[in-house]
Amino acid sequence: MLENIILGFATALTLENLAYCFAGVFLGTFIGVLPGLGSLAAISMLLPLSFYLEPTTALIMLAGIYYGGEYGGSIASILLNLPGTPSAAVTCLDGNPMAKQGRAGVALFITAIASFVGGSFGVIALMGFGPAIAQVGLGFGPGDYFALMLLGLVAAVTVGGGSVVKSMIMVVLGLLLGTVGTDVTSGEFRYTFGYLELRDGVSLVAIAMGLFGIAEVISSIRDAGKRKITEKVTMRGMIPTRDDMRKALGPMARGSSIGGFLGALPGAGTVIAAFLAYATEVRVAKDKSIFGKGAIQGVAAPESANNAAAQTAFIPTLTIGIPGSATMSIMLGALMIHGITPGPLLVSDHPTIFWGLIASFWIGNFFLLILNIPLIGLWVRVLQFPYKYIYPVVIALICIGVFSMRNSVFDVWLVVIFGALGYLLQRVGYSAAPLILGFVLGPMLEENLRRAMLLARGDPMRLIGDPLTGSILALSALMLIWAMLGGVRQLIRARRAARVPPGEA
Amino acid sequence: MNIVSLRLVVAAILAVIGAGAFAIALGYEFGSARRMGPGYFPVVLSAILTLLAISEMVSAAMKPEAMSIDWRPFFAILAAVVGFAVTMHLFGMIPAFFVVIGVATLSERRFGLLPAVILAIVTSAGAYLLFSRFLGMTMPLFQFGP
């Protein structure tokens, strides 16, 4: 263990890796601060750059963007009442009232500290459980992998919130997009329509840029003019009272544990972690009336939870090779572009990647502490900068980024298609995250199912009969049925509540 | 409201995608459960997609909701990306940057020509330094003809 940690820090502390770690967390905070653009868009924008880097360096930078975004997202929540990233939405509830009471500085300080505590907790969990889970993963057969991936997809559909049918449509569309290209087993071209460019499959970057980058920019232009910051933030105003710190300690501890646990599960992710941590605080508090009026507990808990979840999300991605969220599936894509297959062997075969990344998390979290406390004034100014000078540049960078992947205009045309589709889908309440998850998992899901069915001689009962595979499949089925029934019940309730006269709806 | 709801239109688009994918997938070898052919997965998936999209169409038709699209930014941003694709192909990176930024600024009325030009110059210079100088990508800066 100790020698692994030393190896990790030796990898992460090279000048190049330090520089890219800093660049990652800096950019992540920047993107997180800007409402409308999430870390997913940022990671896919920088994915092409990572071709020019060593795999470890690339991953350190991309990961930095991800957890940096979790730090930055809360700044806009507190100052503008607009979440910079989805997981910071809960922080608005008490963070913005604190700012209105003139305590914006304290809220930002507590956010930074809570994020650091949560992040550290998550990294410790990753260090402790990661290698052990990889050991378990070594014993998995193709059937188990198939079942686990299916569980991940079902979790994305059922836990993610929103309409179950819409999420299922997105997952299936993602899986279908994943089949485009050369079939690994038979070598046949599927859905290539005669285009050479499609033989390697649809470009992940083009899909992600279209669905997240373009679609998010289009929908954020309308609200761009409404932002005004009135609160002044000074270093002196950030210092919390002793009472503030005392009140924030418990929520940080609870938030970190909730976030750390949920982050490692498929489908849950940072948004649900933050939400549940807040709900837990409301439940354990003696005086529930303080929430929504600037309670410091309501800032500390969700912020520690989403940062803990951001770190533990790497556990299933790196050690079993199954990403739990859309962002993680892009990380997985980044690794595969470099020819590294994440899975149980990653920890033993590529220790510099695994431990170097973990060491970089520690370094990155320290960078973020510096970026978010002494340099907070910089981010406030970023928020004041008019959005209209930012989005044209973002669009230009998306274009050049996609083009540079293969020096081909074809992928830019794909961005147009996915951008249009993504915006329309988003407008009517489809979430693009399950689509990305399905797209990345699709080819692996198919390959493992084919192998498992070959081993089972075409008898699905043998697959279900296997104790591990069968129980994971049963769990997925239960989750799906439960969610569907919930949906039906909701529909009936909505019908009754609306008292719609017959014939009108 | 008499106009067709956007939710219905989107669900219909998805159903058409599903049905189209199903029709194409029938042309691939299906195989058996034991030895799945290249068509097995696409056939099953596109069938599920079509059914789900149709059920979504039904529920959208039952409950019409008014939802609007910001057409101006929608077309401006997409046109900007199209403009980039065409200009990049024909004239190289720097002209493409001017086109993409110029067209993207059309998503707002009264953006102003001068800010757009300054933005394009700054971005092109930055992209030149980052991509061509720092990362050493070989991209045509200026060219004429594909």
Side-chain angles (χ1 to χ4, degrees):
Chain A
M1 186 71 171
L2 190 66
E3 60 193 84
N4 283 327
I5 295 172
I6 292 170
L7 171 75
F9 275 99
T11 313
L13 282 171
T14 61
L15 198 61
E16 197 190 2
N17 286 346
L18 270 179
Y20 279 101
C21 180
F22 183 79
V25 295
F26 186 87
L27 270 167
T29 316
F30 182 79
I31 298 278
V33 166
L34 294 177
L37 275 181
S39 51
L40 228 160
I43 292 169
S44 25
M45 272 169 70
L46 289 177
L47 198 53
L49 280 191
S50 73
F51 283 117
Y52 296 82
L53 304 172
E54 291 282 308
T56 314
T57 313
L59 212 62
I60 285 176
M61 181 180 75
L62 295 176
I65 296 170
Y66 175 53
Y67 57 82
E70 296 302 324
Y71 271 76
S74 47
I75 298 177
S77 294
I78 291 168
L79 293 177
L80 291 176
N81 204 17
L82 266 178
T85 49
S87 59
V90 191
T91 311
C92 291
L93 296 178
D94 277 290
N96 192 248
M98 277 183 83
K100 289 209 172 103
Q101 292 157 13
R103 284 164 43 86
V106 178
L108 290 167
F109 184 85
I110 289 292
T111 298
I113 298 291
S115 299
F116 183 76
V117 170
S120 307
F121 182 86
V123 184
I124 291 170
L126 174 58
M127 289 166 84
F129 293 115
I133 291 175
Q135 278 297 319
V136 177
L138 283 173
F140 288 165
D144 305 321
Y145 270 110
F146 167 75
L148 275 173
M149 288 175 196
L150 199 66
L151 179 68
L153 293 176
V154 168
V157 166
T158 51
V159 188
S163 147
V164 177
V165 175
K166 281 179 184 161
S167 306
M168 275 171 74
I169 291 179
M170 287 290 96
V171 164
V172 178
L173 186 61
L175 289 170
L176 203 54
L177 280 169
T179 63
V180 174
T182 315
D183 173 37
V184 192
T185 320
S186 66
E188 193 169 330
F189 302 134
R190 296 190 291 194
Y191 301 117
T192 54
F193 305 104
Y195 288 106
L196 267 174
E197 288 90 341
L198 284 177
R199 290 194 183 173
D200 301 331
V202 188
S203 150
L204 169 68
V205 175
I207 294 188
M209 297 265 210
L211 291 182
F212 293 97
I214 300 284
E216 280 176 16
V217 167
I218 296 175
S219 37
S220 60
I221 285 176
R222 179 162 55 174
D223 309 322
K226 296 178 198 154
R227 296 175 192 152
K228 281 230 167 61
I229 300 180
T230 42
E231 289 82 12
K232 279 211 177 79
V233 181
T234 57
M235 267 291 273
R236 186 173 296 171
M238 290 183 82
I239 302 164
T241 63
R242 195 173 287 245
D243 187 45
D244 286 335
M245 282 310 280
R246 195 178 48 77
K247 276 194 215 150
L249 278 180
M252 278 187 212
R254 282 187 289 269
S256 302
S257 338
I258 292 171
F261 176 69
L262 285 177
L265 297 183
T270 54
V271 182
I272 293 173
F275 189 80
L276 266 183
Y278 187 85
T280 308
E281 283 317 308
V282 175
R283 193 161 296 168
V284 299
K286 284 194 196 86
D287 180 12
K288 294 180 182 14
S289 66
I290 55 169
F291 288 97
K293 294 174 195 149
I296 204 151
Q297 295 91 327
V299 176
E303 281 305 314
S304 50
N306 65 26
N307 283 280
Q311 304 290 14
T312 51
F314 282 93
I315 295 178
T317 313
L318 292 175
T319 60
I320 327 186
I322 301 178
S325 68
T327 319
M328 281 300 125
S329 54
I330 293 196
M331 294 277 178
L332 195 82
L335 271 174
M336 292 199 290
I337 286 169
H338 282 284
I340 295 157
T341 319
L345 291 172
L346 179 87
V347 185
S348 47
D349 285 3
H350 301 279
T352 48
I353 293 187
F354 185 77
W355 294 101
L357 191 63
I358 286 179
S360 86
F361 289 165
W362 284 114
I363 299 165
N365 271 296
F366 271 107
F367 280 149
L368 282 164
L369 210 53
I370 298 167
L371 281 175
N372 279 275
I373 296 178
L375 293 178
I376 187 72
L378 176 71
W379 306 115
V380 177
R381 227 156 292 151
V382 166
L383 266 182
Q384 284 162 332
F385 194 75
Y387 187 64
K388 68 179 215 174
Y389 298 129
I390 294 173
Y391 71 81
V393 180
V394 169
I395 298 293
L397 290 179
I398 287 176
C399 291
I400 195 73
V402 171
F403 175 82
S404 67
M405 295 274 297
R406 299 195 279 194
N407 269 348
S408 102
V409 180
F410 183 84
D411 288 347
V412 184
W413 288 107
L414 286 182
V415 171
V416 177
I417 296 171
F418 284 108
L421 189 67
Y423 176 71
L424 291 176
L425 290 171
Q426 194 184 332
R427 282 304 294 160
V428 291
Y430 292 86
S431 157
L435 191 154
I436 294 283
L437 201 58
F439 176 73
V440 171
L441 284 180
M444 293 188 270
L445 191 79
E446 184 180 10
E447 209 186 318
N448 279 297
L449 177 65
R450 277 172 156 184
R451 238 186 275 162
M453 287 304 275
L454 198 64
L455 289 174
R457 293 162 205 252
D459 181 10
M461 288 321 286
R462 280 183 107 158
L463 212 59
I464 299 167
D466 180 88
L468 185 58
T469 314
S471 39
I472 303 172
L473 285 175
L475 185 61
S476 318
L478 278 177
M479 274 174 87
L480 203 59
I481 293 167
W482 174 71
M484 294 280 238
L485 287 181
V488 172
R489 232 179 297 140
Q490 225 168 20
L491 203 71
I492 297 167
R493 215 178 300 147
R495 281 255 137 156
R496 277 205 202 117
R499 288 181 195 279
V500 202
E504 279 207 12
Chain B
M1 287 236 287
N2 285 325
I3 54 164
V4 185
S5 87
L6 186 61
R7 198 178 146 207
L8 184 62
V9 174
V10 172
I13 295 175
L14 290 166
V16 168
I17 294 176
F22 185 75
I24 297 171
L26 288 179
Y28 305 135
E29 192 205 330
F30 190 75
S32 63
R34 182 172 177 183
R35 288 188 183 277
M36 294 182 183
Y40 199 98
F41 229 55
V43 164
V44 173
L45 289 174
S46 51
I48 298 175
L49 177 62
T50 315
L51 292 179
L52 285 172
I54 289 174
S55 85
E56 175 66 15
M57 274 172 78
V58 171
S59 88
M62 277 173 12
K63 215 171 77 190
E65 283 162 65
M67 258 175 279
S68 62
I69 294 180
D70 302 326
W71 289 113
R72 193 182 170 99
F74 180 74
F75 282 121
I77 297 293
L78 291 178
V81 183
V82 171
F84 177 90
V86 174
T87 327
M88 186 78 209
H89 186 60
L90 294 175
F91 302 109
M93 186 180 96
I94 305 289
F97 262 75
F98 276 79
V99 169
V100 63
I101 289 182
V103 180
T105 58
L106 294 179
S107 35
E108 279 172 277
R109 270 162 240 228
R110 292 192 297 272
F111 193 96
L113 187 63
L114 192 65
V117 171
I118 293 172
L119 210 54
I121 293 173
V122 172
T123 316
S124 310
Y128 167 71
L129 288 176
L130 178 65
F131 293 103
S132 296
R133 285 281 142 149
F134 184 62
L135 290 166
M137 290 184 190
T138 46
M139 257 186 287
L141 295 178
F142 287 103
Q143 64 179 21
F144 197 76

